[in-house]
Amino acid sequence: MNPVAAGDPAEYGDRIADVYDDWHGERDPVGPVVEFLAAWAGEQPALELGIGTGRIALPLTARGIRVDGIDASAQMVARLQAKPGGAGLAVHIGDFADVPAPGGPYGLVYVVFNTFFALLTQEDQVRCFAGVAANLRPGGAFVMEAFVPDLSLYGNGQQRVRVDGFDEEATRLSATLHDRASQRLRSRHMMLRADGVQTYPVDLRYAWPSELDLMARLAGMTPAARWEGWDQRPFTSASSSHVSVW
């Protein structure tokens, strides 16, 4: 998951690489994610956009599926390649807006943990869909996990401060500014310790599920399915997240 900072798609990953697995490595059970993706990949190779430290790619590889990756952060990829099995993955260091695939075409392209929203303009997001379509084999699928925007979180001031966690050693906070016109969220995650404060910038450009469907259609893909989560619960108007397949 690797949301990026404005102007430098590598900054977020490079800065958070040392703590990323501690913060997000056990964010959700990976079993249902891997089972879902393996079913769509079948025996064909897969490509992960924003492969990061390999939270999903490594267990999917262990299932016998060849997984390639793209990520902007060399630091995150170094973490991936230092893990058992990580050195054998082909990873392109760069911006996945253009989908510079290292070994396509693929039967499955996927992006998880809201990472698609790290593309900060609609133009980049549309271009990414086109690149995915160009790298899919006939009958292949594009799978995305993302949140459903909830504008009520930001109130009239278009800002939000949240406590993300704390223990005896540190407190984690996040502060977010929301720009409705551009659909941009500018966040700063903060780690407060006795020896100082560390900040991690995260900028996102969210898109509604219907907007994502239109991007897919522009790229020549059609919506195939949408669920609330990896366990394939029905997607409803009350859902706060979605797993979509085109």
Side-chain angles (χ1 to χ4, degrees):
M1 176 201 144
N2 312 322
V4 300
D8 183 357
E11 182 179 356
Y12 174 82
D14 286 349
R15 292 181 64 175
I16 204 173
D18 289 346
V19 298
Y20 184 87
D21 286 335
D22 292 336
W23 288 12
H24 302 300
E26 298 181 0
R27 170 182 173 265
D28 292 312
V30 301
V33 185
V34 172
E35 291 297 323
F36 184 103
L37 295 174
W40 282 93
E43 298 181 355
Q44 301 185 76
L47 173 69
E48 180 171 0
L49 308 181
I51 193 170
T53 63
R55 183 177 69 96
I56 303 301
L58 289 175
L60 191 57
T61 300
R63 286 286 303 269
I65 297 169
R66 195 194 94 205
V67 181
D68 297 339
I70 304 172
D71 203 281
S73 170
Q75 298 283 354
M76 294 284 273
V77 173
R79 290 277 174 173
L80 159 65
Q81 294 177 334
K83 296 178 180 179
L89 274 63
V91 181
H92 176 88
I93 305 296
D95 185 353
F96 68 78
D98 296 307
V99 195
Y106 300 93
L108 171 70
V109 178
Y110 66 94
V111 56
V112 300
F113 197 11
N114 311 312
T115 301
F116 181 78
F117 295 160
L119 302 178
L120 299 180
T121 67
Q122 187 184 70
E123 178 183 1
D124 284 347
Q125 293 176 355
V126 168
R127 193 166 75 254
C128 180
F129 265 93
V132 168
N135 282 280
L136 280 176
R137 295 180 177 183
F142 182 28
V143 175
M144 180 188 301
E145 176 194 25
F147 64 80
V148 178
D150 182 357
L151 306 189
S152 68
L153 294 175
Y154 305 99
N156 292 331
Q158 297 303 301
Q159 57 190 9
R160 181 190 188 199
V161 177
R162 183 183 66 192
V163 177
D164 295 320
F166 59 85
D167 54 30
E168 294 180 356
E169 296 183 357
T171 298
R172 289 171 49 202
L173 306 174
S174 60
T176 303
L177 296 177
H178 175 220
D179 183 342
R180 284 184 293 187
S182 62
Q183 298 176 201
R184 288 279 299 274
L185 299 173
R186 298 185 62 225
S187 297
R188 298 296 178 265
H189 294 309
M190 293 165 281
M191 176 76 79
L192 285 66
R193 297 179 180 272
D195 59 354
V197 178
Q198 292 179 300
T199 62
Y200 305 92
V202 184
D203 286 10
L204 302 174
R205 192 266 177 189
Y206 63 80
W208 304 91
S210 57
E211 184 182 3
L212 296 170
D213 286 343
L214 180 56
M215 294 180 191
R217 292 185 187 280
L218 290 172
M221 294 185 284
T222 57
R226 175 166 289 130
W227 293 278
E228 184 174 283
W230 298 106
D231 57 1
Q232 301 183 46
R233 296 185 307 273
F235 179 79
T236 71
S237 60
S239 298
S240 61
S241 62
H242 64 94
V243 173
S244 297
V245 184
W246 298 278

